[in-house]
Short mmCIF file of all heavy atoms in Angstrom, two decimals:
data_model
loop_
_atom_site.label_atom_id
_atom_site.label_comp_id
_atom_site.label_asym_id
_atom_site.label_seq_id
_atom_site.Cartn_x
_atom_site.Cartn_y
_atom_site.Cartn_z
N GLY A 1 21.90 -27.04 -26.55
CA GLY A 1 22.74 -28.24 -26.63
C GLY A 1 22.25 -29.34 -25.71
O GLY A 1 22.28 -30.52 -26.06
N LYS A 2 21.72 -28.94 -24.54
CA LYS A 2 21.17 -29.93 -23.60
C LYS A 2 19.84 -30.45 -24.09
O LYS A 2 19.57 -31.66 -24.06
CB LYS A 2 21.03 -29.29 -22.22
CG LYS A 2 20.50 -30.24 -21.16
CD LYS A 2 20.41 -29.54 -19.80
CE LYS A 2 19.86 -30.48 -18.74
NZ LYS A 2 19.77 -29.80 -17.41
N VAL A 3 18.98 -29.54 -24.57
CA VAL A 3 17.66 -29.94 -25.06
C VAL A 3 17.77 -30.88 -26.25
O VAL A 3 17.03 -31.87 -26.37
CB VAL A 3 16.82 -28.70 -25.43
CG1 VAL A 3 15.53 -29.10 -26.14
CG2 VAL A 3 16.51 -27.87 -24.20
N LEU A 4 18.73 -30.61 -27.14
CA LEU A 4 18.85 -31.36 -28.39
C LEU A 4 19.87 -32.49 -28.33
O LEU A 4 20.10 -33.16 -29.34
CB LEU A 4 19.24 -30.40 -29.53
CG LEU A 4 18.33 -29.20 -29.77
CD1 LEU A 4 18.85 -28.36 -30.92
CD2 LEU A 4 16.91 -29.66 -30.05
N ASN A 5 20.49 -32.68 -27.17
CA ASN A 5 21.57 -33.67 -27.06
C ASN A 5 22.68 -33.38 -28.07
O ASN A 5 23.20 -34.28 -28.74
CB ASN A 5 21.03 -35.09 -27.27
CG ASN A 5 20.08 -35.53 -26.18
OD1 ASN A 5 20.34 -35.28 -24.99
ND2 ASN A 5 18.98 -36.15 -26.55
N GLY A 6 23.04 -32.10 -28.16
CA GLY A 6 24.11 -31.70 -29.06
C GLY A 6 23.62 -30.75 -30.13
O GLY A 6 22.54 -30.95 -30.69
N LEU A 7 24.40 -29.69 -30.39
CA LEU A 7 24.04 -28.71 -31.42
C LEU A 7 24.59 -29.17 -32.77
O LEU A 7 25.76 -28.98 -33.07
CB LEU A 7 24.60 -27.33 -31.06
CG LEU A 7 23.79 -26.47 -30.10
CD1 LEU A 7 24.52 -25.16 -29.82
CD2 LEU A 7 22.41 -26.18 -30.65
N THR A 8 23.74 -29.79 -33.54
CA THR A 8 24.10 -30.18 -34.90
C THR A 8 23.05 -29.62 -35.84
O THR A 8 21.90 -29.39 -35.44
CB THR A 8 24.16 -31.71 -35.06
OG1 THR A 8 22.82 -32.24 -34.96
CG2 THR A 8 25.05 -32.35 -34.01
N PRO A 9 23.39 -29.39 -37.11
CA PRO A 9 22.37 -28.87 -38.05
C PRO A 9 21.18 -29.81 -38.18
O PRO A 9 20.05 -29.37 -38.32
CB PRO A 9 23.14 -28.71 -39.36
CG PRO A 9 24.39 -29.50 -39.20
CD PRO A 9 24.71 -29.50 -37.74
N GLU A 10 21.43 -31.12 -38.11
CA GLU A 10 20.33 -32.08 -38.21
C GLU A 10 19.38 -31.93 -37.02
O GLU A 10 18.15 -31.89 -37.19
CB GLU A 10 20.87 -33.51 -38.26
CG GLU A 10 21.73 -33.83 -39.47
CD GLU A 10 23.20 -33.47 -39.27
OE1 GLU A 10 23.55 -32.90 -38.20
OE2 GLU A 10 24.00 -33.75 -40.18
N ASN A 11 19.94 -31.84 -35.81
CA ASN A 11 19.11 -31.69 -34.62
C ASN A 11 18.33 -30.38 -34.62
O ASN A 11 17.15 -30.34 -34.25
CB ASN A 11 19.99 -31.75 -33.36
CG ASN A 11 20.52 -33.15 -33.09
OD1 ASN A 11 20.13 -34.10 -33.75
ND2 ASN A 11 21.43 -33.26 -32.14
N ILE A 12 19.00 -29.30 -35.05
CA ILE A 12 18.34 -28.00 -35.08
C ILE A 12 17.20 -28.00 -36.09
O ILE A 12 16.12 -27.47 -35.83
CB ILE A 12 19.36 -26.89 -35.38
CG1 ILE A 12 20.37 -26.78 -34.23
CG2 ILE A 12 18.66 -25.55 -35.59
CD1 ILE A 12 21.52 -25.85 -34.52
N ARG A 13 17.43 -28.61 -37.26
CA ARG A 13 16.39 -28.66 -38.29
C ARG A 13 15.17 -29.44 -37.79
O ARG A 13 14.03 -28.99 -37.93
CB ARG A 13 16.96 -29.33 -39.54
CG ARG A 13 15.92 -29.76 -40.58
CD ARG A 13 15.45 -28.60 -41.42
NE ARG A 13 14.22 -28.91 -42.14
CZ ARG A 13 13.79 -28.26 -43.21
NH1 ARG A 13 14.48 -27.25 -43.69
NH2 ARG A 13 12.67 -28.58 -43.78
N VAL A 14 15.39 -30.58 -37.18
CA VAL A 14 14.29 -31.40 -36.68
C VAL A 14 13.54 -30.65 -35.58
O VAL A 14 12.30 -30.64 -35.55
CB VAL A 14 14.82 -32.75 -36.15
CG1 VAL A 14 13.73 -33.49 -35.39
CG2 VAL A 14 15.33 -33.60 -37.31
N TYR A 15 14.28 -30.00 -34.69
CA TYR A 15 13.67 -29.27 -33.57
C TYR A 15 12.80 -28.12 -34.07
O TYR A 15 11.64 -27.95 -33.65
CB TYR A 15 14.78 -28.76 -32.66
CG TYR A 15 14.32 -28.11 -31.38
CD1 TYR A 15 13.39 -28.73 -30.55
CD2 TYR A 15 14.83 -26.89 -30.98
CE1 TYR A 15 12.99 -28.15 -29.36
CE2 TYR A 15 14.44 -26.29 -29.79
CZ TYR A 15 13.52 -26.93 -28.99
OH TYR A 15 13.13 -26.35 -27.81
N ALA A 16 13.33 -27.32 -35.00
CA ALA A 16 12.57 -26.18 -35.54
C ALA A 16 11.35 -26.66 -36.30
O ALA A 16 10.26 -26.08 -36.19
CB ALA A 16 13.47 -25.33 -36.44
N SER A 17 11.50 -27.72 -37.08
CA SER A 17 10.37 -28.25 -37.84
C SER A 17 9.28 -28.78 -36.91
O SER A 17 8.08 -28.62 -37.18
CB SER A 17 10.84 -29.37 -38.78
OG SER A 17 11.79 -28.90 -39.70
N GLU A 18 9.70 -29.40 -35.81
CA GLU A 18 8.73 -29.95 -34.86
C GLU A 18 7.97 -28.83 -34.15
O GLU A 18 6.77 -28.95 -33.90
CB GLU A 18 9.46 -30.83 -33.84
CG GLU A 18 8.54 -31.62 -32.91
CD GLU A 18 7.70 -32.67 -33.64
OE1 GLU A 18 7.94 -32.92 -34.85
OE2 GLU A 18 6.80 -33.25 -33.00
N ILE A 19 8.65 -27.73 -33.83
CA ILE A 19 7.95 -26.59 -33.23
C ILE A 19 6.90 -26.05 -34.18
O ILE A 19 5.76 -25.76 -33.79
CB ILE A 19 8.97 -25.48 -32.87
CG1 ILE A 19 9.82 -25.93 -31.68
CG2 ILE A 19 8.25 -24.17 -32.54
CD1 ILE A 19 10.92 -24.96 -31.31
N GLU A 20 7.26 -25.93 -35.47
CA GLU A 20 6.30 -25.45 -36.46
C GLU A 20 5.10 -26.40 -36.58
O GLU A 20 3.96 -25.97 -36.74
CB GLU A 20 6.99 -25.30 -37.82
CG GLU A 20 7.91 -24.11 -37.91
CD GLU A 20 7.15 -22.81 -37.80
OE1 GLU A 20 6.32 -22.51 -38.69
OE2 GLU A 20 7.34 -22.10 -36.80
N ARG A 21 5.36 -27.69 -36.49
CA ARG A 21 4.28 -28.68 -36.65
C ARG A 21 3.37 -28.68 -35.43
O ARG A 21 2.13 -28.74 -35.56
CB ARG A 21 4.88 -30.07 -36.86
CG ARG A 21 3.83 -31.15 -37.18
CD ARG A 21 4.45 -32.52 -37.23
NE ARG A 21 4.84 -32.99 -35.91
CZ ARG A 21 4.02 -33.56 -35.04
NH1 ARG A 21 2.73 -33.69 -35.32
NH2 ARG A 21 4.46 -33.97 -33.87
N ARG A 22 3.95 -28.62 -34.23
CA ARG A 22 3.17 -28.75 -33.01
C ARG A 22 2.45 -27.46 -32.60
O ARG A 22 1.45 -27.50 -31.89
CB ARG A 22 4.08 -29.19 -31.85
CG ARG A 22 4.57 -30.61 -31.95
CD ARG A 22 5.24 -31.02 -30.66
NE ARG A 22 5.69 -32.39 -30.68
CZ ARG A 22 6.17 -33.04 -29.62
NH1 ARG A 22 6.26 -32.41 -28.46
NH2 ARG A 22 6.56 -34.29 -29.72
N HIS A 23 2.97 -26.33 -33.03
CA HIS A 23 2.42 -25.07 -32.56
C HIS A 23 2.09 -24.15 -33.74
O HIS A 23 2.78 -23.16 -33.97
CB HIS A 23 3.43 -24.36 -31.63
CG HIS A 23 3.83 -25.19 -30.45
ND1 HIS A 23 3.04 -25.33 -29.34
CD2 HIS A 23 4.94 -25.94 -30.22
CE1 HIS A 23 3.65 -26.11 -28.46
NE2 HIS A 23 4.80 -26.50 -28.98
N PRO A 24 1.05 -24.47 -34.47
CA PRO A 24 0.63 -23.57 -35.54
C PRO A 24 0.26 -22.21 -34.96
O PRO A 24 -0.25 -22.12 -33.84
CB PRO A 24 -0.58 -24.28 -36.15
CG PRO A 24 -1.07 -25.19 -35.09
CD PRO A 24 0.14 -25.63 -34.33
N ARG A 25 0.51 -21.17 -35.72
CA ARG A 25 0.31 -19.82 -35.20
C ARG A 25 -1.18 -19.52 -34.95
O ARG A 25 -2.02 -19.82 -35.78
CB ARG A 25 0.89 -18.80 -36.17
CG ARG A 25 2.42 -18.78 -36.14
CD ARG A 25 2.96 -17.90 -37.25
NE ARG A 25 4.41 -17.87 -37.22
CZ ARG A 25 5.19 -18.87 -37.59
NH1 ARG A 25 4.66 -19.99 -38.03
NH2 ARG A 25 6.50 -18.77 -37.54
N HIS A 26 -1.44 -18.91 -33.79
CA HIS A 26 -2.79 -18.46 -33.46
C HIS A 26 -2.69 -17.03 -32.93
O HIS A 26 -3.09 -16.73 -31.81
CB HIS A 26 -3.45 -19.37 -32.42
CG HIS A 26 -3.71 -20.76 -32.92
ND1 HIS A 26 -4.63 -21.02 -33.91
CD2 HIS A 26 -3.16 -21.95 -32.59
CE1 HIS A 26 -4.65 -22.33 -34.15
NE2 HIS A 26 -3.77 -22.91 -33.37
N GLY A 27 -2.11 -16.15 -33.74
CA GLY A 27 -2.01 -14.75 -33.35
C GLY A 27 -0.87 -14.43 -32.41
O GLY A 27 -0.80 -13.34 -31.86
N THR A 28 0.04 -15.36 -32.19
CA THR A 28 1.17 -15.10 -31.31
C THR A 28 2.45 -15.49 -32.02
O THR A 28 2.45 -16.37 -32.88
CB THR A 28 1.06 -15.87 -29.99
OG1 THR A 28 2.21 -15.60 -29.18
CG2 THR A 28 1.00 -17.37 -30.24
N ASP A 29 3.53 -14.82 -31.68
CA ASP A 29 4.81 -15.16 -32.29
C ASP A 29 5.85 -15.53 -31.24
O ASP A 29 7.02 -15.55 -31.50
CB ASP A 29 5.33 -14.00 -33.15
CG ASP A 29 5.72 -12.78 -32.33
OD1 ASP A 29 5.41 -12.75 -31.13
OD2 ASP A 29 6.33 -11.87 -32.90
N ARG A 30 5.40 -15.81 -29.98
CA ARG A 30 6.34 -16.14 -28.93
C ARG A 30 5.91 -17.40 -28.20
O ARG A 30 4.75 -17.57 -27.85
CB ARG A 30 6.47 -14.99 -27.93
CG ARG A 30 7.59 -15.23 -26.92
CD ARG A 30 7.80 -14.02 -26.05
NE ARG A 30 6.71 -13.83 -25.10
CZ ARG A 30 6.88 -13.34 -23.87
NH1 ARG A 30 8.08 -12.98 -23.46
NH2 ARG A 30 5.85 -13.20 -23.07
N LEU A 31 6.87 -18.29 -28.00
CA LEU A 31 6.65 -19.52 -27.25
C LEU A 31 7.65 -19.58 -26.11
O LEU A 31 8.80 -19.20 -26.26
CB LEU A 31 6.84 -20.75 -28.15
CG LEU A 31 5.87 -20.92 -29.32
CD1 LEU A 31 6.33 -22.07 -30.21
CD2 LEU A 31 4.46 -21.17 -28.82
N LEU A 32 7.22 -20.07 -24.96
CA LEU A 32 8.09 -20.26 -23.81
C LEU A 32 8.21 -21.75 -23.53
O LEU A 32 7.22 -22.42 -23.25
CB LEU A 32 7.52 -19.54 -22.57
CG LEU A 32 7.27 -18.04 -22.74
CD1 LEU A 32 6.68 -17.46 -21.45
CD2 LEU A 32 8.56 -17.32 -23.11
N GLY A 33 9.42 -22.26 -23.66
CA GLY A 33 9.64 -23.68 -23.48
C GLY A 33 9.84 -24.05 -22.01
O GLY A 33 10.33 -23.25 -21.21
N ALA A 34 9.47 -25.28 -21.67
CA ALA A 34 9.59 -25.74 -20.29
C ALA A 34 11.05 -25.82 -19.83
O ALA A 34 11.34 -25.76 -18.64
CB ALA A 34 8.92 -27.11 -20.13
N ASP A 35 11.97 -25.94 -20.78
CA ASP A 35 13.39 -26.06 -20.43
C ASP A 35 14.07 -24.71 -20.30
O ASP A 35 15.27 -24.65 -20.05
CB ASP A 35 14.12 -26.90 -21.49
CG ASP A 35 13.61 -28.33 -21.53
OD1 ASP A 35 13.68 -29.00 -20.50
OD2 ASP A 35 13.14 -28.75 -22.61
N GLY A 36 13.33 -23.60 -20.48
CA GLY A 36 13.92 -22.29 -20.32
C GLY A 36 14.19 -21.55 -21.61
O GLY A 36 14.70 -20.43 -21.59
N GLN A 37 13.85 -22.16 -22.74
CA GLN A 37 14.09 -21.49 -24.01
C GLN A 37 12.90 -20.60 -24.39
O GLN A 37 11.75 -20.93 -24.09
CB GLN A 37 14.39 -22.49 -25.13
CG GLN A 37 13.22 -23.35 -25.59
CD GLN A 37 13.08 -24.62 -24.78
OE1 GLN A 37 13.40 -24.64 -23.60
NE2 GLN A 37 12.61 -25.68 -25.42
N GLN A 38 13.19 -19.48 -24.99
CA GLN A 38 12.17 -18.59 -25.52
C GLN A 38 12.33 -18.56 -27.04
O GLN A 38 13.44 -18.46 -27.55
CB GLN A 38 12.34 -17.19 -24.94
CG GLN A 38 11.33 -16.18 -25.44
CD GLN A 38 11.42 -14.86 -24.70
OE1 GLN A 38 10.59 -14.55 -23.84
NE2 GLN A 38 12.42 -14.08 -25.01
N VAL A 39 11.20 -18.66 -27.75
CA VAL A 39 11.23 -18.71 -29.20
C VAL A 39 10.32 -17.63 -29.77
O VAL A 39 9.13 -17.61 -29.48
CB VAL A 39 10.77 -20.09 -29.73
CG1 VAL A 39 10.98 -20.16 -31.24
CG2 VAL A 39 11.49 -21.22 -29.04
N HIS A 40 10.90 -16.72 -30.54
CA HIS A 40 10.12 -15.74 -31.29
C HIS A 40 10.02 -16.23 -32.72
O HIS A 40 11.03 -16.59 -33.34
CB HIS A 40 10.79 -14.37 -31.24
CG HIS A 40 10.68 -13.69 -29.92
ND1 HIS A 40 9.62 -12.89 -29.58
CD2 HIS A 40 11.48 -13.73 -28.84
CE1 HIS A 40 9.78 -12.43 -28.35
NE2 HIS A 40 10.90 -12.93 -27.87
N ARG A 41 8.80 -16.24 -33.25
CA ARG A 41 8.58 -16.82 -34.58
C ARG A 41 7.97 -15.81 -35.53
O ARG A 41 7.21 -14.94 -35.14
CB ARG A 41 7.65 -18.03 -34.48
CG ARG A 41 8.13 -19.10 -33.52
CD ARG A 41 7.26 -20.33 -33.61
NE ARG A 41 5.86 -20.01 -33.36
CZ ARG A 41 4.85 -20.82 -33.68
NH1 ARG A 41 5.08 -21.96 -34.29
NH2 ARG A 41 3.61 -20.48 -33.40
N THR A 42 8.33 -15.97 -36.79
CA THR A 42 7.72 -15.16 -37.83
C THR A 42 7.85 -15.90 -39.16
O THR A 42 8.69 -16.79 -39.30
CB THR A 42 8.40 -13.77 -37.94
OG1 THR A 42 7.69 -12.97 -38.89
CG2 THR A 42 9.84 -13.90 -38.40
N ASP A 43 7.00 -15.56 -40.10
CA ASP A 43 7.12 -16.08 -41.46
C ASP A 43 7.76 -15.00 -42.32
O ASP A 43 7.18 -13.92 -42.50
CB ASP A 43 5.74 -16.45 -42.04
CG ASP A 43 5.22 -17.77 -41.49
OD1 ASP A 43 6.05 -18.60 -41.10
OD2 ASP A 43 3.99 -17.95 -41.45
N LYS A 44 8.94 -15.27 -42.85
CA LYS A 44 9.63 -14.31 -43.71
C LYS A 44 9.22 -14.55 -45.16
O LYS A 44 9.14 -15.71 -45.59
CB LYS A 44 11.15 -14.45 -43.57
CG LYS A 44 11.68 -14.02 -42.21
CD LYS A 44 13.18 -14.16 -42.16
CE LYS A 44 13.87 -13.22 -43.11
NZ LYS A 44 13.70 -11.80 -42.76
N PRO A 45 8.96 -13.50 -45.93
CA PRO A 45 8.71 -13.69 -47.36
C PRO A 45 9.89 -14.41 -47.99
O PRO A 45 11.03 -13.98 -47.87
CB PRO A 45 8.56 -12.26 -47.88
CG PRO A 45 8.19 -11.44 -46.69
CD PRO A 45 8.88 -12.08 -45.53
#
């Protein structure tokens, strides 16, 4: 909520899409954010 200036579906969609755009997978499925968030990623069929 602090990172996104509010938990809204629009904010969450933009945030998740931006993570996908900025961090293409290179053999890892975990990202550690500077603000304290941890993100585990996978591609689901």
